Amino acid sequence: MTKQRVTAFELWTSTDDGTTWRPATVRAGDDGDFTATLPKPAAGQAVSLRIKVTADGGSGIDQTIIRAYRAG
């Protein structure tokens, strides 16, 4: 199996269980890694995540996680 290279990485966040989405800032690193800045929710508030990634071999993922994390 040939290793694929990620060609696009998009991330959105929601603090209202996916009713509205805001794009997160994503940065590509030199080694093919990516980092994103996620919001820090208010106490008790949950953040949902939506991600879309594509690779040069034609594969990809499009996934939504409602209430992925919550502030203490």
Side-chain angles (χ1 to χ4, degrees):
M1 183 185 304
T2 303
K3 183 177 178 180
Q4 295 185 40
R5 186 178 63 82
V6 172
T7 56
F9 186 107
E10 299 173 90
L11 176 69
W12 299 266
T13 63
S14 173
T15 54
D16 58 9
D17 292 341
T19 300
T20 58
W21 294 95
R22 290 184 173 83
T25 300
V26 176
R27 290 180 180 79
D30 294 332
D31 297 331
D33 58 336
F34 292 82
T35 58
T37 303
L38 299 177
K40 182 177 179 184
Q45 185 179 44
V47 176
S48 299
L49 301 174
R50 183 185 212 173
I51 186 171
K52 183 175 181 180
V53 180
T54 54
D56 61 1
S59 66
I61 186 170
D62 189 347
Q63 185 172 15
T64 300
I65 304 170
I66 302 298
R67 297 182 200 136
Y69 65 95
R70 179 183 309 273

